[in-house]
């Protein structure tokens, strides 16, 4: 089992890449070292929004399916299989699979892993914080979501961190009103997190999503006035704060993906894809 005696995670064994039937359309970046540059901005017409809504709903349902299967004793690789097969059953392609060489169909991040954990033979234990990040590509667009749970019975501090991270995300979303700058989102998140002395991860952000998996638009989760893009109706992007019980500083594993808290403190994350309407934000990634 790939953990140290102190319970700190170490890389496990990664299984071979799972196949995708040829009839399921791949994103343009599959098989390439990096995606094509995004064009067209972050506002979409009604037809494209309808497609993003469909992809987002599939992603949300996939997240629900995978998290419901998470029990002590299961491996993160098995959860990847479950998510992979669900997406294929909806004729959707797993957006992470082959994105900049990522080898799996979802990200699975446990305990001190902030984000981008690669599913492997790590066995989930009672009380672990588990985050699953799953995205669906269908009809030329992506929907992106993630969520955290405490598996089985966990500590009160772990349960509180998960509950409050979700609330931080929702506060950030509610702040995303037309005419405001995107930095209002991070200000709302950080002001809430500070009440509990949580770290707010800075270097991994929300992003524009739609015809590209990541459009280049940055949505900070902390108070960052320099990010001053004005929020407009028709925009689609993610809000996905990562909060920690300690520092916001991080380490990167040799796999080039797995990001952990530098002090190995617990962390949690939640993410929704949202659409900005004339009346405010609409969450698209709800099952």
């Amino acid at each position: 089992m790939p953990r140290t005696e102190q319970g700190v995670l170490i890389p496990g064994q990664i299984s071979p890449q799972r196949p995708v039937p040829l009839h399921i359309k791949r994103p343009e970046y599959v098989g390439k070292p990096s995606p094509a540059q995004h064009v067209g901005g972050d506002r979409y017409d009604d037809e494209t929004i309808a497609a993003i809504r469909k992809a987002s709903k599939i992603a949300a349902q996939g997240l629900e399916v995978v998290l419901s299967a998470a029990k002590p004793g299961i491996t993160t690789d098995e959860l990847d299989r479950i998510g992979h097969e669900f997406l294929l059953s909806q004729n959707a392609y797993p957006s992470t699979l082959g994105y900049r060489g990522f080898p799996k169909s979802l990200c699975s991040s446990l305990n001190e892993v902030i984000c981008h954990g690669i599913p492997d033979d790590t066995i989930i234990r009672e009380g672990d914080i588990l985050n699953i990040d799953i995205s669906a590509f269908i009809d030329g667009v992506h929907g992106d979501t993630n969520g955290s749970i405490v598996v089985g019975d966990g500590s009160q501090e772990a349960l509180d961190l998960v509950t409050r991270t979700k609330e931080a995300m929702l506060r950030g979303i509610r702040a995303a009103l037309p005419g405001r700058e995107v930095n209002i989102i991070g200000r709302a998140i950080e002001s809430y997190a500070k009440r509990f002395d949580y770290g707010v991860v800075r270097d991994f952000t929300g992003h524009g999503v739609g015809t590209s998996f990541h459009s280049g638009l940055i949505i900070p989760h902390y108070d960052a006035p320099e990010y001053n893009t004005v929020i407009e109706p028709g925009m689609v992007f993610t809000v996905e704060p990562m909060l920690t019980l300690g520092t916001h500083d991080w380490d990167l594993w040799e796999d080039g993906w797995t990001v952990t808290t530098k002090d190995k403190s617990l962390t949690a994350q939640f993410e929704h894809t949202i659409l900005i309407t004339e009346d405010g934000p609409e969450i698209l990634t709800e099952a």
Side-chain angles (χ1 to χ4, degrees):
M1 186 184 304
R3 305 190 197 210
T4 67
E5 289 183 5
Q6 295 76 31
V8 175
L9 291 157
I10 57 176
Q13 187 72 32
I14 299 173
S15 66
Q17 183 172 306
R18 293 188 162 87
V20 177
L22 292 176
H23 74 271
I24 294 178
K25 185 178 178 182
R26 277 93 168 130
E28 56 79 25
Y29 51 73
V30 173
K32 301 176 183 176
S34 59
Q37 186 170 353
H38 177 72
V39 294
D42 292 285
R43 298 178 65 186
Y44 294 99
D45 59 25
D46 290 346
E47 182 180 356
T48 309
I49 288 170
I52 298 171
R53 194 184 302 278
K54 176 181 175 181
S56 296
K57 189 173 186 65
I58 291 171
Q61 291 170 338
L63 179 63
E64 200 172 71
V65 167
V66 175
L67 288 180
S68 67
K71 302 289 189 292
I74 198 170
T75 65
T76 54
D77 184 66
E78 179 65 9
L79 295 180
D80 180 77
R81 182 192 63 78
I82 291 168
H84 179 87
E85 291 181 357
F86 174 80
L87 292 176
L88 299 192
S89 76
Q90 305 302 304
N91 288 313
Y93 184 92
S95 300
T96 61
L97 186 62
Y99 180 76
R100 297 185 182 273
F102 191 83
K104 288 295 176 181
S105 299
L106 53 79
C107 300
S108 57
S109 301
L110 287 170
N111 296 336
E112 72 269 20
V113 178
I114 294 171
C115 58
H116 304 158
I118 300 174
D120 58 20
D121 64 350
T122 299
I123 296 172
I124 295 174
R125 296 179 181 175
E126 187 91 13
D128 281 344
I129 294 179
L130 168 69
N131 176 273
I132 295 294
D133 193 333
I134 188 167
S135 307
F137 176 78
I138 189 170
D139 297 337
V141 298
H142 303 265
D144 188 10
T145 189
N146 78 55
S148 297
I149 59 170
V150 177
V151 179
D153 293 325
S155 67
Q156 192 60 50
E157 67 175 1
L159 292 165
D160 287 344
L161 177 63
V162 167
T163 299
R164 291 165 179 168
T165 303
K166 185 174 185 179
E167 176 62 21
M169 174 194 64
L170 293 173
R171 287 178 182 234
I173 290 171
R174 289 196 292 268
L177 298 176
R180 291 177 163 181
E181 296 178 351
V182 295
N183 56 57
I184 191 68
I185 297 168
R187 195 171 306 128
I189 289 167
E190 187 169 52
S191 65
Y192 177 72
K194 277 184 172 179
R195 295 188 194 178
F196 313 104
D197 201 29
Y198 290 158
V200 182
V201 174
R202 297 181 168 214
D203 294 335
F204 301 91
T205 68
H207 55 89
V209 64
T211 53
S212 295
F213 193 12
H214 297 82
S215 73
L217 174 67
I218 292 174
I219 308 296
H221 302 124
Y222 64 102
D223 189 0
E226 63 271 25
Y227 294 100
N228 57 6
T229 302
V230 175
I231 299 169
E232 299 178 86
M235 291 178 74
V236 179
F237 55 81
T238 72
V239 177
E240 47 182 300
M242 292 144 266
L243 305 186
T244 80
L245 291 182
T247 183
H248 63 73
D249 294 326
W250 51 273
D251 290 321
L252 182 67
W253 282 6
E254 289 185 5
D255 61 25
W257 285 103
T258 307
V259 180
T260 70
T261 50
K262 186 169 281 292
D263 58 7
K264 304 303 175 273
S265 60
L266 292 176
T267 179
Q269 182 186 16
F270 282 85
E271 173 186 20
H272 274 311
T273 294
I274 67 170
L275 164 69
I276 304 301
T277 74
E278 297 284 354
D279 300 323
E282 177 190 346
I283 295 173
L284 300 182
T285 40
E286 290 185 320

